[in-house]
Amino acid sequence: MLFYLVRHGQTDWNRAGKIQGTTDIPLNETGRQQAEQLATVLKERSGYPAKTRIDAVYASPLARAFQTAEILAKEGKLPLRRLTGLRERDFGCWEGKSWQQVEAEYPDEFHLWREQPMVGIPSGGESRKSCEARSERAIRQILEETAGDAVIVAHGGILVFLMNYLLRFHREPQEIIVANASLSVVSYDRSTGMGKLLALNETGTLEQQPIR
């Protein structure tokens, strides 16, 4: 099966460089335009609705991701499902601040976060271990529920955890940066648990030929 992994479109906090976490910030106008363009990209890649094998669009319940997913689902006339496990990591007291502010106000936490990401936890926030665990539960639920392909609309960190899980037999986990309204594609063999990365961080590349 194919997983189409999508990061939500831009918000005002993205543009301002603020940490969003679980703070529920909606898409701005640029973000909506990005999502509409991405719907065309996804249509080119998957061939939906005429040739689709996509069963559903799964989305984080946070507005910026769910609004992006609504645009994609509407274009492909696909079922849209909220999945709580796909919500962004809770950044606690860091939310609403820039990374520069966090470094100045929480220097010890910030440097531990940068140097030992498996150990560092934002003040009042969620551990990486907890976030990775619920991301894995979410992808397992999607595998149980779907017979065909799936679109997942979530957040930058969550998508990295999902890719690391799907590609776990091919490479060591990596830190990957994915842009707003970007598309990454993973081919996954249910029988072996092996995944293969087919596309990473594509944005508005309408001239490319569909993978399928």
Side-chain angles (χ1 to χ4, degrees):
M1 68 180 295
L2 294 182
F3 283 100
Y4 298 94
L5 306 174
V6 174
R7 187 183 175 198
H8 63 81
Q10 186 190 85
T11 69
D12 286 342
W13 278 24
N14 282 138
R15 187 166 53 192
K18 294 182 179 181
I19 300 168
Q20 295 177 109
T22 57
T23 305
D24 207 7
I25 308 300
L27 294 178
N28 58 21
E29 183 57 32
T30 296
R32 290 188 171 277
Q33 292 173 358
Q34 289 173 331
E36 290 169 0
Q37 183 182 37
L38 183 61
T40 305
V41 174
L42 183 60
K43 183 175 181 179
E44 289 294 317
R45 279 205 165 277
S46 66
Y48 76 63
K51 300 178 182 179
T52 187
R53 292 181 57 227
I54 297 174
D55 279 1
V57 178
Y58 288 85
S60 158
L62 294 175
R64 57 192 184 273
F66 198 78
Q67 290 170 351
T68 302
E70 284 182 315
I71 293 170
L72 301 183
K74 181 179 179 181
E75 175 70 20
K77 300 179 181 178
L78 298 166
L80 175 56
R81 300 170 185 166
R82 284 184 175 89
L83 197 55
T84 304
L86 297 175
R87 73 184 184 281
E88 178 61 294
R89 182 174 180 174
D90 187 344
F91 282 84
C93 296
W94 295 9
E95 294 184 11
K97 302 178 186 295
S98 69
W99 290 108
Q100 292 80 7
Q101 287 176 308
V102 169
E103 184 175 14
E105 296 176 25
Y106 303 90
D108 294 339
E109 287 182 11
F110 178 80
H111 289 296
L112 184 61
W113 164 276
R114 292 290 298 269
E115 295 168 12
Q116 300 183 59
M118 291 298 293
V119 178
I121 303 175
S123 181
E126 181 181 14
S127 70
R128 176 168 176 153
K129 184 177 180 180
S130 169
C131 192
E132 285 183 319
R134 64 175 170 82
S135 298
E136 181 176 330
R137 289 194 296 271
I139 198 72
R140 288 181 178 275
Q141 179 179 337
I142 294 170
L143 283 165
E144 290 173 0
E145 293 180 356
T146 58
D149 302 335
V151 178
I152 300 176
V153 185
H155 311 269
I158 299 298
L159 293 176
V160 172
F161 295 150
L162 297 181
M163 279 190 270
N164 283 337
Y165 175 78
L166 293 170
L167 302 171
R168 63 195 183 280
F169 296 125
H170 271 279
R171 61 175 173 80
E172 291 298 314
Q174 296 180 10
E175 294 299 323
I176 301 168
I177 304 299
V178 289
N180 285 122
S182 64
L183 174 67
S184 301
V185 185
V186 175
S187 175
Y188 187 76
D189 187 331
R190 294 172 181 269
S191 63
T192 64
M194 299 285 284
K196 181 179 180 181
L197 186 63
L198 302 182
L200 177 64
N201 200 29
E202 291 189 355
T203 55
T205 51
L206 302 184
E207 72 282 358
Q208 293 191 8
Q209 292 299 312
I211 286 173
R212 295 175 68 83

